[in-house]
Amino acid sequence: MLSLDFKVVKFILVFNIVMLYHGLALGQKNDVWIRYHDKAKNLYGYKDLKGKIKIPAKFEKFFTQADSFYNIISVKEENLHNYKTYYLLKNGKKVGLDSLYILDYTVDCESEGKIRFQNRKNDRIGFLDKNGKAVIPAIYNYATPFYNGVSRALINAKRACWDEKEDTLNCEHLGWKGGIQVLINDKNEILADSLHNLPDNINWYSLKTNQADLDTNIWFTIKGKNGNTYSFIDYQKEFKHWFETKFLFALKSYNQENLRRLFFSGLQIKSEKLGTSNSHQKNFNTFIRKIVTPERFQANLLKEINIMNGDLMFVDIEKPVYKKYLDACGRHQKEKFPAFLIAINYYVKRKEALDLTSISKLDPNWKPSEFDINFELDYQERFEFLKTKDGYKLFEVYVKN
C-alpha cells in the first residue's frame, strides 16, 4: 500500500512539473503584445492578444517599429515641445535613453533576448539583454543581431565615407573602413577572428563545432581560437543543390504528389496577360504543364538563368500565412527563412550592334562581352522560393504569359 501511494505521489509530482513547464512556455508565448495604430492621433501603442490596451497610443511610428513586444523594444515618444527615444520594458522601465541603434532609418528589434544599443560618445555598439542590462559593452564598430547564440562583429575600424572625395563631416553615406571581423558568442567571447570571404547567405542555425567530413558542396568551415573549427551551411549553395536535384527532378518525373509538396500553400502567380491568381490549386495540371516546366529552366543562346537573393517585402506579408517568417519588427527573417529567386532573362538580337563609343566615355572600365554587344534584354521571368520548416517551397511566380 505504501508502495502504491508513493507511485501515485511520484506521478502527481511529475505531472505537475510537466504542466507547470508547459504553462510557463505557453504563458511566454501568449504574453506577447501587439502594436496597434490610433488613427485619430496617428500614434502607436500596444495591446495584449485579448485586445486589452497595455500601453496607450503615444509613440511615433518612425522609431517604434516593433510589431511584437516580447521583452524590450525601441520607441520614440513625441509631444508638442520635444521628443524622447529610449528602450522600453514591459514593466514601464525606460533604459538606454538616446542610445537607440539606428542604421539606414531602421531601429533594432529584439533577437534571442538581446537588442543592440549605440553609445554615441564613443560611436560604438553593444547589446542590452531582455531586462535592459548592458550584457555586452559598446566596444564594436558594428555587430549583427544574435542568431543561434553568435554574432558577427567588427572592431578596430575607422569611420570613412563611401565616396572617398568626401570627408566624414560632410558625408552622405558614412561607413567603416578596415578593422577585424570577429565571431562572438552571447558571453562576449571571441570564437574566431580575421573572418574574410564569408558567404553572404550563412545559416547560423546549422553551426557545428569541430565537425569533420562535412559535404563541402554546401558547408564551409572557419578556423577559430584554441584550435576549434566552426562549420555552417551556405544557404545559396544549399538552395542550388536542392533546386537541381529535387525541384527539377520532380518536374521531369511529373509526380503530382511530390510536386505539390514543393509548392507554398499561398503560391501567387503573376502574369502580364492573366493578372494575379492563386488558382493553381484548382488547375494544378494546367499550371504545371503551361508555366512550371523543366524546359523553362534550361538556358540557351537567347536565355540565361541566374540565382539571386529574394525577399518577402514584395508580397502581402499581412497575410497570416507569412507571419511565421517575420521577426519582431515584421521584417523578413532571412537568417532562418531565406528566399531565393530564379531569374530567367530573355534576350533578342540587336538590330544594330551596340555602339561602345558613348558608353566607354561614361565608364571606361566597362568591358562588354560579345553577347552584350549583339543582344539586348527583352523581358525577365521570376520564380521565387522560400525556405520553410519543411524545406524550400515555390511561393511566387511572375511570367509574361
Side-chain angles (χ1 to χ4, degrees), residues 303-341:
K303 183 171 69 172
E304 67 175 358
I305 299 172
N306 300 300
I307 297 177
M308 306 165 63
N309 288 335
D311 200 308
L312 289 182
M313 66 180 294
F314 301 110
V315 300
D316 185 3
I317 59 176
E318 293 300 319
K319 291 185 176 180
V321 71
Y322 293 114
K323 291 294 184 183
K324 67 181 71 173
Y325 305 107
L326 308 179
D327 64 13
C329 275
R331 306 168 190 146
H332 181 188
Q333 196 172 1
K334 298 179 182 180
E335 290 73 24
K336 272 191 176 180
F337 310 107
F340 290 101
L341 184 73

Side-chain angles (χ1 to χ4, degrees), residues 123-363:
D123 195 17
R124 296 293 184 268
I125 293 171
F127 288 84
L128 303 175
D129 68 5
K130 63 181 181 180
N131 300 312
K133 181 181 177 182
V135 289
I136 294 180
I139 59 176
Y140 297 103
N141 306 116
Y142 173 77
T144 67
F146 274 90
Y147 304 117
N148 194 26
V150 296
S151 168
R152 184 177 175 182
L154 178 67
I155 57 176
N156 299 332
K158 294 183 179 180
R159 280 294 190 185
C161 284
W162 291 5
D163 186 346
E164 296 181 355
K165 297 179 181 179
E166 298 177 340
D167 59 48
T168 55
L169 296 177
N170 301 284
C171 184
E172 184 175 359
H173 298 289
L174 189 62
W176 294 100
K177 183 176 182 180
I180 302 172
Q181 293 189 45
V182 297
L183 186 69
I184 62 173
N185 62 17
D186 54 10
K187 297 178 182 178
N188 199 28
E189 298 170 334
I190 295 180
L191 304 179
D193 55 18
S194 300
L195 306 181
H196 299 291
N197 301 320
L198 290 183
D200 294 327
N201 301 282
I202 300 174
N203 180 356
W204 299 108
Y205 302 91
S206 66
L207 171 61
K208 290 184 182 295
T209 304
N210 299 326
Q211 184 74 41
D213 302 324
L214 294 172
D215 184 358
T216 55
N217 289 317
I218 60 174
W219 287 84
F220 69 94
T221 300
I222 58 176
K223 293 181 179 180
K225 290 183 171 293
N226 302 320
N228 292 320
T229 61
Y230 302 96
S231 301
F232 303 90
I233 287 176
D234 181 332
Y235 271 134
Q236 184 159 345
K237 288 184 176 180
E238 177 191 59
F239 170 74
K240 184 175 184 295
H241 179 75
W242 172 87
F243 180 77
E244 293 173 348
T245 61
K246 301 292 184 182
F247 188 77
L248 290 183
F249 179 80
L251 285 181
K252 293 173 182 177
S253 62
Y254 195 68
N255 183 308
Q256 286 198 37
E257 184 177 347
N258 290 340
L259 280 170
R260 286 183 185 275
R261 293 196 190 103
L262 304 180
F263 286 52
F264 193 67
S265 59
L267 172 63
Q268 288 286 311
I269 307 162
K270 299 178 181 179
S271 168
E272 287 187 10
K273 287 187 176 181
L274 303 177
T276 301
S277 170
N278 58 0
S279 61
H280 70 281
Q281 299 291 352
K282 297 180 180 179
N283 304 293
F284 186 78
N285 290 342
T286 303
F287 171 67
I288 294 296
R289 293 187 185 281
K290 288 188 175 182
I291 297 180
V292 188
T293 63
E295 294 74 25
R296 205 162 203 130
F297 300 100
Q298 293 177 0
N300 56 47
L301 181 62
L302 296 177
K303 183 171 69 172
E304 67 175 358
I305 299 172
N306 300 300
I307 297 177
M308 306 165 63
N309 288 335
D311 200 308
L312 289 182
M313 66 180 294
F314 301 110
V315 300
D316 185 3
I317 59 176
E318 293 300 319
K319 291 185 176 180
V321 71
Y322 293 114
K323 291 294 184 183
K324 67 181 71 173
Y325 305 107
L326 308 179
D327 64 13
C329 275
R331 306 168 190 146
H332 181 188
Q333 196 172 1
K334 298 179 182 180
E335 290 73 24
K336 272 191 176 180
F337 310 107
F340 290 101
L341 184 73
I342 299 292
I344 307 177
N345 294 327
Y346 292 84
Y347 294 88
V348 294
K349 190 172 178 59
R350 296 182 187 274
K351 294 180 180 178
E352 296 181 3
L354 187 64
D355 180 11
L356 302 181
T357 306
S358 57
I359 297 179
S360 60
K361 290 180 180 179
L362 295 175
D363 186 1

Side-chain angles (χ1 to χ4, degrees), residues 44-55:
Y44 291 78
Y46 287 87
K47 297 180 178 180
D48 64 18
L49 293 179
K50 295 181 180 179
K52 181 180 178 180
I53 293 178
K54 308 299 289 189
I55 303 177

